[in-house]
Structure formats: structure tokens, C-alpha cells
Amino acid sequence: MTRIAIISIHSCPLAPLGGEERGGMNVYVREVSKELGRRGIGVDVFTRAKSPDLPKVVHLPENVRVVHLPAGKVEPYAKELVANHINEFTRGVLRFAASQEIYYDLLHGHYWLSGLVADKLRETWGIPFIQMFHTLSKLKNIASRGRLEKEPRRRVKAEQEIIKRADLVVAASALERIQMNRFYGASMEKIRVIPCGVDVNLFRPIPQEKARESLNLDHENILLFVGRIEPIKGLDTLIRALAILNNDRTMQNRPPKLLVVGGANSGNGDQPVPKEVARLKRIAGGLGIDKQIKFMGPLDQKELPYYYSAADVCVLPSYYESFGLVTLEAMACGTPMIASRVGGLPFTIKDGENGYLVTEGEPAELADKVKLVLTDEKEKLRLGDMGVNTTKEYGWETITSRLLSVYSELIELQPGGRELEEEPEEKIIHEHAKQ
Ligand code: UDP
């Protein structure tokens, strides 16, 4: 049986989503691992232990295990500090493999921190190593608005080194491939383009009335944002666009409402308001539209199809987005998508065909496009249908097949049976563990 070691040091595939540092990468690792396992590939996902309450090894159905190993304190801490514990984590992976007498055929690293681990493991094991970055610091730095958002030099250098040393690199779009070549000097020959995917069984259209009813939403004109709440996501632009719409005469009887799903918490109740949420609330307050915005906090992905389906339009106003899974999820639910023309977004959204693309940081342009969707029911339905069609080619099955064909450039794939036996002292779960 082919065995793959997936390194995802700071993004646990079992983590609840939406909060700080828990987003698209967690989903990608979770979905691809499950699909590889279903195809008879043995997968061990190595990730940092963040809580002493979680079992060291968690078995997922069909050939997949998540292995929690220490890297510094076994508690949540900022991902910037993970880089200080790469050697400890790497030693843990080596010890785990040795104690189980496991040999892996291939390493797959996610994000630069995991790339550092995978590179060290490769030196000991002598097996090929594939890397996927999810975001690249040089591109983030170009898009960032403030000095505090800049990524450290250490990360830039590490990415440069990993790109040089990995056997193959997976880019999420054709643009990212070119950017890796231009900004990091990566050889085009070693970069394969595979987009991210969407769970088309979970994300399906629900009739809007039914979705609104089940969420107790009686408002017309609902705008939706889903994602981590960070400056790079450009929510300030969306809030300013909402204020412009408020002053638009055609909208005055039906001022739109914005639902913001995601963030460490919504800042409601006893929890302290996260910094970016506080900044956004200040902007909204200054514009006099705070009552029209509801911060929902993080929600389980299973609830999201109701939110996407209830909304009239979903907006991703990011300054930089390597891919943007939320785009595919909204489209799969038949909700028109409006997103910035940055990074990987123009590869899924074709402007005017299955959604709209706008210039990042331009509220007036965004407001125009939102108004178009809100005031033209036929156009809204057309975009929704086109979106559903687009996502048909992005199911995780298809994406994993493409990934397997890249794996097979480096190793001979030998799918096997259920070789990963249950170990009595380890907990077996069939649902995502709560962290
Ligand atoms: N997400 C979620 N609950 C939330 C907010 C986000 O499950 O409250 C999920 C969302 O469904 C998507 C992912 O987090 O799958 C965000 O991925 P995306 O690529 O859009 O953004 P990233 O986190 O990579 O910047």
C-alpha cells in the first residue's frame, strides 16, 4: 500500500473552522486526505498538538490518521512562533514512524512551516517531497496595507529555499505558477497547477425562502461574507460599499443587510472583541451603518449551505487570495459571487459570466455590482445557475485524481486495503473532533 506523510504543522484538519488561522488550508488537507484514503492510499497527517485532551492519534474512516505531535507548548499559540519548534516536531515524526515501523513513499508539505519539516524528513528518509504553499509571503507583502501585516524575512527566505529543494510544487492557479517563477525563481518545469476543490455534496442550492426561514432571516437584500476576519480579506471595502448602497435612491426602501461569518468570535457576549472586528465595527459606526451588519462569529461548515443559499450575493473583497474556497462554496449553492480581481479568483470567476470581478479596495465599483445583482432578479438567477455549473469540475474527487497523477510522476502508486489497524489505546472517531 502506498503511504503518504502529509505535513500540516499548524493547520489541523480536525480543527473547527473560521477562527484565526483556521480556514482554507485546514479544509484542503482534510478533504484531500479523506479522498486519498478512500482510494486505498494510506495517509498520516502530522500536525502540532494544541491540546493535551486530544488523543495523539485520531483515526478517520478509510486509511487516514491524524497524528498530533508536540512543537513547543501543547496549547494554542501564534503561528509565527511555530518556526521555533521545527526540529522538535521533525524529531517527533521520525520517532513516530520508527516506533510503528512505517515507511512512507512520499511527503506532501502544506504551507512554508510544513515545507521546512518535510525537507528535513526527506533528508533522513530519502523519499520525494511535494510542496504546496497556500499563500506566499512575497505576494502577501505586495498586497498588504500596513507595516504590521508584513510577513517576516525568515518566511520569505524559507519559501525560497523550499521551492528550490522540493521535487515538485503545486500551485493553485496558473498565475501562482508564474508568480513562483517570477518572484522566487522557481523553475516552471517543477510546478504543477491544481486548483482547490469544493464538497459538492454538502454545498448545494437550498431554496432561498427555506434557507431564510430556517435561519430566521426575514430581511430582503442579504449580502454575505464568509472567511477569516483579517485586514487582507478587505471587509472594510465591503462595509464602505454598503454605505454607498444605503445612499442609493433605488435601495432606500430596502437597505441591504450584511452577514459576516467567521472570525475568532463575533465580539458579542463576554468574549473580548478581536482587533480586526473592532476596527470594522468602528468603520461601520462612523458610516452610521452598524445596525445593518451582523457579525455571526465562526460557524460549522455544515451550517454554511443555509447561509450561502439565504444570501442574495456573496462577496469576497480580498486584497490577496491564493485561491478562495469560499468562492466555490457560494457558487455551488447557486449564490452569485462578487470578488476582487486578485490572485486565483479570476480563475474560478469569469467576469460577467458566472459572477463579477471588481478592483480591490474600490467600494464604489463593488457597490455598483452588488446593486446590479440586487435589482435584477433574472441576472441573479442566471449567475447562480452558471456558478453551479462551474463548480461541477471542482469536486474533491476530481481534484484528488489530479493530485494523484502528480504523485505518480514521483512514485509508483499501489493502492491497498485497510492496512492501518485500529490501536486499542487510540480513540477512533468518525466525526470531526472538537478542539
Ligand atoms: N469557514 C467555515 N466557517 C466559518 C468561516 C469559514 O467553515 O465560520 C470555512 C469556509 O467554508 C472555507 C474556509 O473556511 O472552506 C475558508 O477558505 P478560503 O480559501 O476561502 O480562505 P482562507 O482561509 O484560505 O484564506
Side-chain angles (χ1 to χ4, degrees), residues 215-268:
L215 297 176
N216 272 327
L217 296 171
D218 52 10
H219 202 86
E220 268 183 83
N221 292 336
I222 298 176
L223 276 54
L224 177 69
F225 168 90
V226 178
R228 293 173 298 113
I229 300 187
E230 288 189 4
I232 202 130
K233 292 282 178 180
L235 259 166
D236 49 349
T237 310
L238 179 53
I239 291 173
R240 292 182 210 284
L242 190 65
I244 295 173
L245 286 169
N246 256 16
N247 292 328
D248 190 293
R249 264 203 277 144
T250 41
M251 289 278 125
Q252 267 169 8
N253 296 329
R254 309 176 300 149
K257 182 156 191 156
L258 169 63
L259 300 181
V260 178
V261 172
N265 67 62
S266 56
N268 300 326

Side-chain angles (χ1 to χ4, degrees), residues 4-11 44-48 65-69 89 92-94 96-97 104 107 114 121 125:
I4 313 284
I6 292 185
I7 313 296
S8 185
I9 182 168
H10 90 289
S11 295
D44 283 344
V45 182
F46 293 96
T47 190
R48 177 174 101 66
R65 302 188 295 188
V66 178
V67 184
H68 298 100
L69 298 171
F89 187 80
V93 179
L94 291 171
F96 177 85
Y104 295 99
L107 281 152
S114 304
L121 290 169
W125 289 339

Side-chain angles (χ1 to χ4, degrees), residues 17-18 23-24 27 228 233 261-262 298-299 301 304 321 324-326 329:
L17 300 167
V27 175
R228 293 173 298 113
K233 292 282 178 180
V261 172
L299 294 177
Q301 230 180 10
L304 294 185
E321 200 70 59
L325 287 180
V326 158
E329 293 167 4

Side-chain angles (χ1 to χ4, degrees), residues 132-178:
M132 182 160 180
F133 286 97
H134 297 269
T135 60
L136 286 160
S137 57
K138 285 194 181 182
L139 304 180
K140 245 184 128 174
N141 284 348
I142 292 168
S144 76
R145 309 264 134 167
R147 196 174 49 80
L148 290 176
E149 285 171 47
K150 294 269 184 231
E151 292 296 320
R153 285 172 72 88
R154 178 187 201 177
R155 175 172 172 187
V156 177
K157 264 183 72 189
E159 285 173 349
Q160 201 108 35
E161 206 46 36
I162 295 162
I163 284 181
K164 227 188 283 161
R165 295 170 62 90
D167 294 286
L168 289 175
V169 179
V170 174
S173 71
L175 175 69
E176 198 171 76
R177 178 167 180 252
I178 293 168

Side-chain angles (χ1 to χ4, degrees), residues 24 27 195-200 203-204 224-228 233 301 304 308-309 313-318 320-351 354-357 383-384 386-392 394 396:
V27 175
C196 300
V198 62
D199 182 345
V200 283
F203 294 101
R204 299 155 82 130
L224 177 69
F225 168 90
V226 178
R228 293 173 298 113
K233 292 282 178 180
Q301 230 180 10
L304 294 185
Y308 287 125
S309 301
V313 58
C314 183
V315 183
L316 193 57
S318 310
Y320 166 58
E321 200 70 59
S322 160
F323 187 81
L325 287 180
V326 158
T327 307
L328 287 182
E329 293 167 4
M331 288 166 112
C333 292
T335 307
M337 191 68 218
I338 303 179
S340 309
R341 197 180 286 103
V342 297
L345 296 172
F347 291 86
T348 40
I349 300 178
K350 302 285 169 227
D351 191 27
N354 59 0
Y356 288 115
L357 292 169
L383 292 173
M386 293 299 285
V388 173
N389 273 341
T390 303
T391 53
K392 285 185 182 148
Y394 287 94
W396 287 112

Side-chain angles (χ1 to χ4, degrees), residues 15 40 148 194 218 221 266 283 296 323 327 334 385 406 414 434:
L148 290 176
I194 307 179
D218 52 10
N221 292 336
S266 56
I283 295 176
M296 312 293 303
F323 187 81
T327 307
D385 287 346
V406 173
Q414 289 174 328
K434 296 272 172 220

